[in-house]
Amino acid sequence: MYETLMLAKGVSKIVGGIFGKRSADKKAKQARLIARYNSQIALKEAEQKAEAINFKGRQLIKQQNKFLADEKMNIAARGGSISGGDQSLILESLQNIALENLNVKNTEDLTLIAGENKAQNILFQGAMKAKAYKQAGKESFFSGVLGALDVGTDFFSQSYKPKFNPKGDK
């Protein structure tokens, strides 16, 4: 009876370790999948923000081009030519349009880079969680094996008693 209980205890330790490892492996896989999903969301958000910035920039440039066209029409309506102060105003407007275009492109690029960095950070954190779960699974498995060995050594230390014969008889 005692042997059966000890055997069951040892088997339960090993099975517990195996199930603990399996559970940790599933958690690690889930952590990687969640990280991948969240990183894809971060990339999509960055792309959407960049597209919104690009759209607003295009709208602003259109307004500036309209303003420039209106200025040219005003100059022509007055019967003047583009020279002097009018010419400097138009050149300044063209420079502002070019600078605004560069600024929009720069902001769009920075938004995309920030989104990619965020996505990489999410993937890295997911990998670290997965690694921690894997390590916990290994520890659980080895704990089960060591627990079974402990049960085995207890069993053999209890059941094996050397026979001591003080008389020396055989």
Side-chain angles (χ1 to χ4, degrees):
M1 177 75 172
Y2 177 72
E3 294 87 10
T4 307
L5 289 175
M6 292 303 275
L7 179 65
K9 188 175 178 183
V11 168
S12 71
K13 295 273 186 181
I14 290 175
V15 169
I18 290 170
F19 282 133
K21 183 175 182 335
R22 286 174 121 188
S23 173
D25 287 346
K26 287 179 183 179
K27 286 181 181 178
K29 183 179 179 181
Q30 185 179 21
R32 274 191 239 95
L33 289 174
I34 288 171
R36 189 176 309 133
Y37 176 76
N38 288 340
S39 72
Q40 289 172 349
I41 288 175
L43 283 174
K44 290 291 182 192
E45 286 176 352
E47 289 170 2
Q48 288 173 350
K49 285 179 185 177
E51 183 58 37
I53 290 168
N54 189 347
F55 178 75
K56 287 180 182 178
R58 286 191 317 253
Q59 292 297 97
L60 182 61
I61 290 169
K62 282 181 185 178
Q63 289 173 353
Q64 289 174 340
N65 283 336
K66 185 179 181 313
F67 171 76
L68 186 60
D70 288 345
E71 281 298 312
K72 287 180 183 179
M73 297 229 351
N74 287 338
I75 293 168
R78 288 192 319 245
S81 64
I82 300 177
S83 62
D86 293 332
Q87 185 178 13
S88 65
L89 180 65
I90 290 175
L91 287 175
E92 186 178 332
S93 294
L94 287 171
Q95 286 177 340
N96 287 339
I97 290 171
L99 286 175
E100 192 61 40
N101 196 12
L102 287 174
N103 189 25
V104 166
K105 184 65 179 153
N106 187 29
T107 305
E108 181 183 1
D109 289 344
L110 288 175
T111 301
L112 286 173
I113 290 169
E116 289 171 359
N117 286 343
K118 184 178 179 182
Q120 289 298 321
N121 189 23
I122 290 169
L123 286 174
F124 178 74
Q125 289 175 353
M128 290 298 103
K129 275 185 181 178
K131 192 169 189 165
Y133 284 133
K134 285 279 196 182
Q135 184 62 34
K138 287 177 185 177
E139 290 172 6
S140 175
F141 176 73
F142 287 122
S143 174
V145 169
L146 291 176
L149 289 174
D150 190 39
V151 168
T153 55
D154 283 349
F155 172 73
F156 286 114
S157 68
Q158 295 292 326
S159 64
Y160 177 73
K161 301 278 186 200
K163 295 182 180 170
F164 179 69
N165 189 353
K167 293 183 184 177
D169 295 338
K170 290 190 178 187

